[in-house]
Amino acid sequence: MKKYIYILFILSTVGLTAQTALYNKGNIRIHENGNLGFHTHFINESPFDENKGLTGFYGPQQLVVSGTVVPLFFDTEIAVDNGLVLELGMGNANNTNFILGDIITARNLSHIYYNFLENGFYTGEGDFTKINGHTALTNQQNFIFPIGDSEQLRPLIINSQNINLFAQCAYFLENPNSPVSIPESFNTDQLDRDLEFVSGLEFWRLEGNVPATISLNWNERSDMAALTDDATRIVPVGWSKTENQWVNLGAGANLGTLEQGFVTSEAIIPDNYEIITLGVSKIPLEPLDTGLLSLENYFVSPNGDGINDSFFIPELLESPNNLVQIYDRYGLKVFEKSNYTDEFTGISNVDNFVITREDGLPVGVYFYIIYAADLDLNYQGFLYLAK
C-alpha cells in the first residue's frame, strides 16, 4: 500500500527578503516513507507534530523558520548554503542529517532552540554543519551537543546519572568578563583558591538539573598556552551561582597538549553554574600526573596493505595486563579494551549513537591513554587515523 503526504497549506508571499514562504495554518502530516522538502521560508501557525518520514531544508539562500507553533519532525535533513535560521524552536524525534550549513539560533534568545527529542540523534556534524546557537535534549541521558560558532564545532559532552527530562546548551566565542549575547558578566579574576587562571576567550552555557560529568575540548584558537605551559593543569571551571566566583570542576580525564585536548569534570549539577569554560588549576590534575609517560605519535591506516593496519604499542609487550582507551579530539571515548595487543583498526567498540561502526571512525587525530598494570605506569599520546 502506498504512503502519501496529505498537506493543507497556504502558499503566500511574506516579508522575508521578499521571498515566498510556506504558511501552515491548517494541517500538515508527513506519513511513513513520505518526504517534504522546503526550498523557501516556513511559517508555522498550526500543530505540525505527528510526523514520520523525512523533512528537508534545501537551497543556496538562507531559510527562516518562524511562527507561533513549534514544528516537530521525525527525520530532518539540512542542506542550506547560508544556514537555517530558527525564529521559532524546532524538534526532531529521530535523525538530523547535517549536509550543508548550520542551524542558527540567536544566542540572546535561549527560549528558541533545536530540540533533540527522545531517541533523537544526528549525523554529519562538522565545523560548518552544526547548531550555531542553542540546542536541547528531551528524555535523554548521555549526549554530545553539536554546538559551536560560525567557524568551529565546539561540542560539549554530557554523561548524566539519570535521564534528563530537559537539558540545554550553547557555545559562546565571547569574553565572559563582558559577553555580547547575555547581560551578565563573570569576572575571571574572581577565583576559588585552587584556581590560577580562567579563559577570557570562550564559554559554554549548560542547563540541566541531573548530576552529570561534562567534557570540554580546546584547540589552538582557545590559546591555552597564554594561560599555562603545562597542559595537565587545564581544568573545566564553572561560575558558581552560590559563591559568585569561578570554581574548579575537574576530577576526570585530562588529555592532550597545549594546542589541543580535552578535560572531563567531576559529577556536577549544571544548573548550579551560570556558565562553564576552561581554566588552569594551581596543581596538576590527578590522576594522570602520576607516573605519566608520553609515547610517540602513531599512524594507523587500516587499508589492508599490511603497513600500520592496526594500533600497535611495543611497550605493551612488557605489560600484557593493561587497559587502552582511545578518545576523539572532543573527548568522546571511541575504543576501550583490557589486555590489549593490536585490536584497534579504526572501528569503535563503544556504544555511541553518533558513530556508525560499519563505516569506521572518521579520519583525524585521536588521543590514547594506556595503563600498563604490570609496570604500574600510565602513558598518553596521539594517533592519526587514515584510510
Side-chain angles (χ1 to χ4, degrees):
M1 179 177 177
K2 292 185 178 179
K3 304 293 193 301
Y4 296 93
I5 309 172
Y6 296 97
I7 304 175
L8 175 61
F9 63 85
I10 299 173
L11 184 64
S12 61
T13 301
V14 296
L16 292 169
T17 65
Q19 295 183 27
T20 58
L22 178 65
Y23 185 91
N24 174 38
K25 202 172 182 179
N27 297 306
I28 302 180
R29 181 176 297 176
I30 307 170
H31 289 261
E32 188 175 357
N33 299 324
N35 297 279
L36 176 61
F38 290 91
H39 296 263
T40 187
H41 305 300
F42 177 45
I43 305 172
N44 195 54
E45 299 287 351
S46 186
F48 188 11
D49 54 9
E50 296 183 15
N51 294 302
K52 295 292 183 180
L54 173 67
T55 305
F57 293 85
Y58 310 101
Q61 303 299 323
Q62 188 175 83
L63 298 182
V64 178
V65 176
S66 60
T68 59
V69 181
V70 173
L72 306 178
F73 300 124
F74 186 71
D75 287 329
T76 305
E77 193 168 77
I78 309 298
V80 185
D81 291 24
N82 292 300
L84 177 67
V85 176
L86 302 186
E87 295 181 356
L88 173 72
M90 183 183 295
N92 187 265
N94 198 50
N95 181 30
T96 298
N97 184 18
F98 291 99
I99 297 175
L100 182 64
D102 292 341
I103 297 174
I104 303 168
T105 78
R107 284 179 172 78
N108 63 333
L109 300 175
S110 61
H111 65 284
I112 298 175
Y113 49 80
Y114 190 84
N115 193 356
F116 291 92
L117 305 173
E118 185 176 4
N119 300 319
F121 64 100
Y122 57 87
T123 54
E125 77 284 1
D127 285 340
F128 302 104
T129 49
K130 62 188 176 300
I131 309 289
N132 182 0
H134 294 274
T135 190
L137 61 86
T138 298
N139 292 331
Q140 299 206 45
Q141 183 168 353
N142 302 320
F143 198 72
I144 307 169
F145 291 100
I147 50 177
D149 69 315
S150 60
E151 296 181 357
Q152 291 187 359
L153 176 69
R154 300 306 307 282
L156 181 147
I157 301 173
I158 182 171
N159 287 291
S160 305
Q161 294 180 3
N162 296 294
I163 297 294
N164 293 280
L165 297 181
F166 181 82
Q168 182 175 345
C169 194
Y171 169 79
F172 298 76
L173 184 65
E174 300 178 13
N175 186 343
N177 293 288
S178 54
V180 175
S181 301
I182 56 178
E184 303 93 336
S185 61
F186 310 96
N187 189 341
T188 55
D189 290 328
Q190 291 181 214
L191 308 176
D192 200 3
R193 60 180 179 270
D194 63 344
L195 286 178
E196 188 167 8
F197 298 109
V198 167
S199 171
L201 297 178
E202 60 187 351
F203 61 87
W204 290 258
R205 172 159 270 181
L206 175 65
E207 301 173 31
N209 58 16
V210 176
T213 63
I214 61 168
S215 295
L216 305 176
N217 72 89
W218 68 88
N219 57 27
E220 291 184 357
R221 193 177 70 175
S222 304
D223 196 19
M224 298 308 297
L227 301 181
T228 182
D229 59 1
D230 182 359
T232 67
R233 295 172 58 197
I234 298 174
V235 292
V237 298
W239 180 271
S240 170
K241 293 180 179 179
T242 57
E243 300 179 35
N244 288 315
Q245 65 176 354
W246 292 98
V247 297
N248 188 341
L249 307 180
N254 170 302
L255 189 61
T257 65
L258 292 175
E259 289 72 35
Q260 60 177 327
F262 71 90
V263 288
T264 300
S265 75
E266 62 186 354
I268 65 168
I269 298 177
D271 281 347
N272 290 344
Y273 304 92
E274 291 284 0
I275 62 174
I276 295 167
T277 190
L278 298 160
V280 177
S281 69
K282 289 184 178 178
I283 58 174
L285 183 67
E286 294 285 351
L288 290 180
D289 60 319
T290 303
L292 177 66
L293 300 176
S294 293
L295 298 178
E296 62 182 290
N297 299 331
Y298 287 85
F299 180 82
V300 180
S301 58
N303 54 15
D305 65 357
I307 303 174
N308 298 320
D309 282 333
S310 65
F311 179 42
F312 174 68
I313 308 102
E315 285 78 4
L316 292 187
L317 295 174
E318 301 178 28
S319 181
N321 298 305
N322 60 66
L323 175 66
V324 172
Q325 298 173 316
I326 300 176
Y327 298 80
D328 70 10
R329 62 190 177 119
Y330 302 119
L332 174 65
K333 185 190 294 182
V334 298
F335 184 88
E336 181 174 70
K337 190 175 189 310
S338 299
N339 305 322
Y340 179 89
T341 54
D342 62 351
E343 289 84 357
F344 180 71
T345 59
I347 304 295
S348 175
N349 69 351
V350 176
D351 287 333
N352 192 297
F353 61 84
V354 177
I355 297 167
T356 302
R357 284 204 189 94
E358 295 78 8
D359 297 334
L361 293 165
V363 169
V365 175
Y366 292 80
F367 304 98
Y368 63 83
I369 300 175
I370 299 170
Y371 174 59
D374 299 305
L375 304 176
D376 193 24
L377 292 174
N378 292 298
Y379 299 98
Q380 73 168 355
F382 296 90
L383 68 88
Y384 183 83
L385 178 64
K387 294 296 185 182

